[in-house]
Every structure is written in C-alpha cells, then in structure tokens.
Amino acid sequence: MARAGVTAVSAPVIESELSQPELLKITPFLGSRDTAEGARLILFGCPFDGTCSFRPGTRFGPPEIRAVSDVLETFCPILRRDLEDAQFADVGDLALPPGDAAAALRLIYQMANHVHASGQITAGLGGEHLISLPLVKAAWEAYPDLVIVHFDAHFDLRNNYLGVEYSHATVMGKICEFIESSRVLQVGQRSGTREEFERAELSGNWRPATISASDIRQWVGNRQLYVTVDLDVLDPSVFPGTGTPEPGGIDFATLQQWIAGLAGCRWVGWDVVELSPHIDATQISSIVSAKIVRTMILASTVGGLQ
Ligand code: MN
Ligand code: MN
C-alpha cells in the first residue's frame, strides 16, 4: 500500500488531477480571508497519522490548532505584521480516507498541485510528518530551484521503520530520492540511528541547534523555499504534545526567530506537523503550534511574487 502511495505521487500530473479535492468545512484559522481567490497563501489541514511509530493522534491536530488560534493576537511584534494583512485563506481539511496511506498521499499531492497551479503558496497542517512527501514533491515539480529547510529532533532518514518503507521516520530519505540532499538543510536533529548521523554528516547539511537565524537565511539565499517544521524540534518541556518527544531540544523563542529570519525569502510552501493534542491536556502544545503557524503565515507572505 505504501509503495502504491508514492507511485501515485510520482506519476505525471494530468489535467483532472489539478482540480481541488474534497475539503471538510471548518471554523478557519484566526485572520483567514473568506475565499481562496486572490489569496497569496492557501492553508489546508492534512489530518493523517497512519504511520505514527509510538503515540498516534496527530490527525486531530488541524482542528485543534484552529480552535486555539482564537486566543492569539493577529499582530506579531517580532515581524511587525498582522494576520489581517497576510492575504491567506484557510480552506479546510482534506477529506482523507482512514487507513489508506496511498489514497491520503495522493489527495494531498492533488491539493498541492491545485494550489501551485494558481501560483499560491501551499501551507499544510499536520498530521504526521509523512504528509511532507507529497507536499514537497508537488513544490519541487512546480519550482525546480527549490531548497528545503527541515526543523526536527529527528533526521527521518531511515531506510525503513519496522519494515515499512513509507513512514514519518523515513520521510526525508524518501524526499532525498528525488531532490539532491545538498538542497536539504536539516536543523536541530539530536536523535537517530548511527546510520542516520553518518548520512547527515556526509551530506554536510546538518546544523545543530546553535545555528543562528541569519546563517539559515544565508544558506537559503535567493532560492525558492519550502520549510517543514516537525514541532518535536522543541524541547518536551515546551511542547509535550507529540508522539515522539525528544529531550534536549530548543526553546520557543529560538524556533520563532529561525522562522522569522526567513521572512522575505522566496517561499513556495511549508508545513507544520506532529502535534498530537490529546497527549497534552493543558493545551499549551496546541497554543505553541498555533503561534508557530501564525509566524509561518506572516514570514512566508512578506514581499512580492515568487
Ligand atoms: Mn521528529
Ligand atoms: Mn519528523
């Protein structure tokens, strides 16, 4: 089933696949416009957690992030920007069939192609990290000069996880099958197998959490940018609500500065993944996620067209 999923995302795009797949209507994220038409960025939920290796529940992430977004201000003092100026539209959650990874990946890919066909930025709310595979694939096909910044506690470079080839633990390895690894900057990783550390060291594109926002910005340069944020890059004391918490992580301000530092780059897509809201009854993890999403919306919509 998993192999069929990636066959589906690897197949050439035909016209009918550019149509928008079915979306479930929701109460949108704070500051969203009413319609997708004319928006610079299209936000959509990808409520999929079919391959979570330890504690599932990330499929409940998108509605939870939107629900708590109401407690935030629309204004971000770091970026000096307001969500109401960001021209983004939250169009709902993709209707993904439970238990069918191939179909879920195909629908996410179709949605991303639909958004790129109108020159808009894709913004996927996870869900687990495997949703990045079809999102990045679509971005790479639309923007050949693409580079990827990957914030995560984990490399996600395994060849397989418990015999499964397509999983949130293998997603970056799968992405590196179609994008040269020199185009992927991995930031904040602190846990993995010996093979993953050796592979990351060989690629020369792994940066510890001490990297500055300006160094990340410099690496991206003028290239088209996709950013994937696995929220477990944060320390579990800041963000306990995730399936695979990893002690020794960064604080909230650091992640916010890394993202804000990319404002003005040529963003074409991003995702925020791995919130599992039921694990954190205080809802602090959900609020952290919503605030990171706010920063992503504001940072990615600064400036002119791609
Ligand atoms: Mn992770
Ligand atoms: Mn990950």
Side-chain angles (χ1 to χ4, degrees), residues 32-268:
S32 168
R33 297 159 56 116
D34 293 336
T35 71
E37 207 177 320
R40 199 142 150 52
L41 178 148
I42 304 297
L43 186 73
F44 52 95
C46 305
F48 173 72
D49 63 3
T51 79
C52 281
S53 50
F54 182 33
R55 302 187 291 190
T58 59
R59 68 180 178 278
F60 302 110
E64 173 74 4
I65 290 172
R66 295 188 184 98
V68 302
S69 70
D70 253 1
V71 310
L72 304 179
E73 301 290 352
T74 55
F75 181 70
C76 169
I78 292 182
L79 283 162
R80 309 288 303 172
R81 290 195 85 220
D82 198 292
L83 283 176
E84 281 158 12
D85 306 326
Q87 299 183 353
F88 79 100
D90 179 357
V91 294
D93 280 350
L94 286 168
L96 303 177
D100 190 339
L105 295 181
R106 198 165 49 241
L107 287 165
I108 296 166
Y109 178 63
Q110 184 179 342
M111 181 66 190
N113 282 327
H114 172 74
V115 173
H116 288 308
S118 359
Q120 293 162 308
I121 299 168
T122 57
L125 287 186
E128 62 153 89
H129 211 163
L130 188 58
I131 69 158
S132 301
L133 176 59
L135 293 172
V136 170
K137 176 88 177 162
W140 175 73
E141 287 168 352
Y143 298 98
D145 196 27
L146 190 72
V147 294
I148 299 160
V149 174
H150 168 218
F151 300 124
D152 201 329
H154 310 98
F155 294 105
D156 298 342
L157 287 172
R158 291 173 196 249
N159 290 327
N160 69 75
Y161 188 77
L162 302 176
V164 175
E165 205 181 332
Y166 294 96
S167 141
H168 70 156
T170 68
V171 60
M172 296 311 294
K174 290 294 156 198
I175 285 171
C176 289
E177 288 180 5
F178 56 84
I179 294 183
E180 298 154 53
S181 57
S182 62
R183 288 183 169 273
V184 180
L185 190 72
Q186 296 196 287
V187 182
Q189 285 73 20
R190 56 189 183 273
S191 174
T193 62
R194 180 192 298 270
E195 291 72 26
E196 284 180 293
F197 273 93
E198 286 172 357
R199 186 171 167 186
E201 281 159 2
L202 258 181
S203 79
N205 280 340
W206 167 42
R207 301 288 185 277
T210 49
I211 189 172
S212 69
S214 61
D215 283 348
I216 298 173
R217 168 65 173 255
Q218 198 171 15
W219 181 87
V220 172
N222 196 34
R223 298 178 291 180
Q224 293 144 349
L225 173 65
Y226 189 100
V227 178
T228 177
V229 180
D230 182 335
L231 290 159
D232 69 25
V233 70
L234 292 161
D235 192 76
S237 59
V238 178
F239 186 77
T242 192
T244 46
E246 200 60 59
I250 58 166
D251 59 16
F252 180 82
T254 301
L255 180 56
Q256 198 180 31
Q257 280 157 11
W258 285 347
I259 296 165
L262 294 170
C265 287
R266 298 170 70 200
W267 291 70
V268 302

